[in-house]
Amino acid sequence: MRLRAKLNRNLLFFKIAQAVEKIGKSVYIKFAPEFVSFGAIHSLGDSDQADGGGAIQCWSRVPIESVFIEYKVESTADNEIYVEMKTEDISLASKSSTNASAIVMRMTGKSSEANMTFVITCDDHMGNSHEITQNVPIIKILSTEGASNTSAFDEPMMPTPEVHIMLPPLEQLKHITNSYKTAADYIVISANLQGVMMLTTSDGMHQFNGFPGTNNNNNNDDMEQDEENMVGVKYSIAERAELETRFSGLFNPSLSDQTLADENDGEEGAKEQEEHPYLERLRNRPHEFVSVLVKGADLQKVLQSHCVRPMNVVCSLIPNHSILFYVYLNQMEDSTLTYFIPEPRG
């Protein structure tokens, strides 16, 4: 079993590890000849329940050329290697790579005491080079069977999303949701197919009626003012202070742009496309909102992906069920980081 590669100068390997660090204590990585995959699940054992909903999941599959150069992987399992590592350890190793001119990664040691070794070459202001070696412990090297038994690489079964909308800058959303912390533990994310999205504080499931995040008392002047300013925060009279942030003029990608859309060929596929809930909503109810309740702490974990400096992020909502975030890592849209947050129950 051999693994050796030089990290691409964009340091995407470290950035993805940093993005999933908040999801769980461990990250599962699959090294294959053509791609590298990451998977992480936030289980209740990772932290206290108050720190998140407990079922948030994240996965990514990235072409080798986007992450490594001079890449070589060998194993008796079709030249694939599965490892489990601590996200915190990878992040610590990445801190030495800030001014690196080259980083070589290789798997070292025996299976029971294996490491992912990073040899980091740095140049000082005088042009002199020195090397820093970081040995990151590998918790476990998984067999093919063992990897198939972990759900980290498995995309969850879910209904089809009905609204897709491109998000505003993640750092802006992070700042807004940070300000919500003192008001409520939950946030209702609402969006429609006319480029409007709202974030509304909530005390939980008992407030989740109709389409939270909308205010039917708004007059036309208020609506026009919201759209003109793009973002507006307002307070409404309630048992607890209710905060609402409204975005308008956002882009709604078509269904064909979504990695989730897995269209079939032939007549059967055409029939499925005709009955697709997204297309029905687009034709008949584009103004209606789809809403999903999430824990504020879970949303904060997703917004941590701003560190990968994504090209764009698309949010896909499944009414009263779950929400997906597609973080596009490059212009080719062949490298994505996907987050899944189920709506909390009970």
Side-chain angles (χ1 to χ4, degrees):
M1 183 178 298
R2 292 183 60 191
L3 174 64
R4 188 186 187 281
K6 184 180 290 187
L7 269 65
N8 199 312
R9 292 186 68 86
N10 62 16
L11 302 182
L12 189 57
F13 180 86
F14 283 148
K15 289 177 180 177
I16 292 177
Q18 184 180 352
V20 305
E21 183 179 4
K22 301 297 183 182
I23 304 300
K25 290 183 177 179
S26 295
V27 60
Y28 294 86
I29 308 175
K30 174 183 179 179
F31 297 96
E34 303 295 331
F35 63 88
V36 57
S37 293
F38 298 80
I41 300 176
H42 179 81
S43 65
L44 294 181
D46 285 331
S47 58
D48 185 77
Q49 277 193 348
D51 194 36
I56 181 172
Q57 185 174 346
C58 161
W59 62 90
S60 179
R61 175 171 163 148
V62 185
I64 288 300
E65 59 270 20
S66 296
V67 188
F68 302 122
I69 54 178
E70 300 177 16
Y71 174 78
K72 188 172 186 178
V73 59
E74 295 178 353
S75 78
T76 56
D78 296 324
N79 292 326
E80 295 179 348
I81 297 175
Y82 299 83
V83 299
E84 178 187 356
M85 302 177 68
K86 285 187 177 180
T87 51
E88 182 182 10
D89 291 344
I90 300 176
S91 291
L92 287 174
S94 71
K95 296 185 186 303
S96 303
S97 65
T98 307
N99 298 313
S101 57
I103 303 175
V104 175
M105 179 191 77
R106 66 181 188 275
M107 198 162 68
T108 59
K110 298 180 180 180
S111 296
S112 58
E113 298 178 352
N115 291 300
M116 199 66 73
T117 298
F118 297 91
V119 179
I120 304 168
T121 303
C122 299
D123 299 329
D124 60 25
H125 65 283
M126 299 294 292
N128 300 315
S129 298
H130 65 279
E131 291 185 349
I132 301 172
T133 300
Q134 296 273 12
N135 291 313
V136 180
I138 294 174
I139 298 175
K140 188 187 301 181
I141 300 175
L142 289 79
S143 64
T144 304
E145 182 181 357
S148 64
N149 289 333
T150 177
S151 56
F153 295 111
D154 298 334
E155 299 182 17
M157 298 292 293
M158 68 194 84
T160 303
E162 294 189 21
V163 169
H164 309 288
I165 193 164
M166 193 171 291
L167 295 184
L170 296 190
E171 289 186 329
Q172 182 183 10
L173 288 177
K174 191 175 179 68
H175 174 74
I176 291 169
T177 55
N178 236 11
S179 68
Y180 283 12
K181 284 182 179 179
T182 55
D185 292 331
Y186 295 89
I187 296 174
V188 177
I189 302 176
S190 304
N192 66 15
L193 292 174
Q194 293 185 329
V196 181
M197 184 183 78
M198 287 175 285
L199 306 178
T200 310
T201 53
S202 172
D203 286 337
M205 209 63 182
H206 62 280
Q207 290 191 3
F208 195 67
N209 297 314
F211 295 102
T214 62
N215 188 340
N216 295 325
N217 295 324
N218 282 352
N219 58 39
N220 290 335
D221 292 339
D222 290 335
M223 295 285 286
E224 290 175 2
Q225 185 66 36
D226 277 346
E227 293 194 6
E228 180 180 346
N229 294 333
M230 293 296 290
V231 180
V233 178
K234 64 181 181 179
Y235 299 89
S236 61
I237 299 174
E239 290 185 9
R240 299 182 65 181
E242 183 180 347
L243 306 177
E244 180 179 287
T245 305
R246 177 186 176 90
F247 299 87
S248 59
L250 301 177
F251 177 62
N252 291 109
S254 64
L255 183 64
S256 59
D257 292 332
Q258 300 306 306
T259 55
L260 188 65
D262 185 14
E263 303 289 358
N264 294 325
D265 296 328
E267 294 182 3
E268 183 178 349
K271 183 179 179 182
E272 287 186 6
Q273 183 172 348
E274 182 67 25
E275 296 172 349
H276 201 290
Y278 161 81
L279 296 177
E280 185 277 327
R281 179 177 290 274
L282 183 63
R283 284 194 303 268
N284 304 318
R285 301 173 290 134
H287 61 284
E288 288 188 6
F289 285 86
V290 167
S291 298
V292 178
L293 180 78
V294 300
K295 270 207 164 188
D298 284 343
L299 185 56
Q300 285 284 317
K301 290 178 173 66
V302 173
L303 298 179
Q304 175 68 15
S305 62
H306 75 85
C307 66
V308 301
R309 297 183 179 178
M311 297 299 299
N312 51 60
V313 181
V314 173
C315 171
S316 298
L317 294 94
I318 304 170
N320 310 130
H321 182 277
S322 57
I323 189 166
L324 291 142
F325 296 89
Y326 297 96
V327 181
Y328 290 94
L329 305 176
N330 60 19
Q331 290 180 328
M332 300 297 292
E333 296 189 354
D334 60 356
S335 302
T336 58
L337 183 62
T338 305
Y339 292 87
F340 168 79
I341 305 179
E343 191 170 75
R345 301 295 177 186

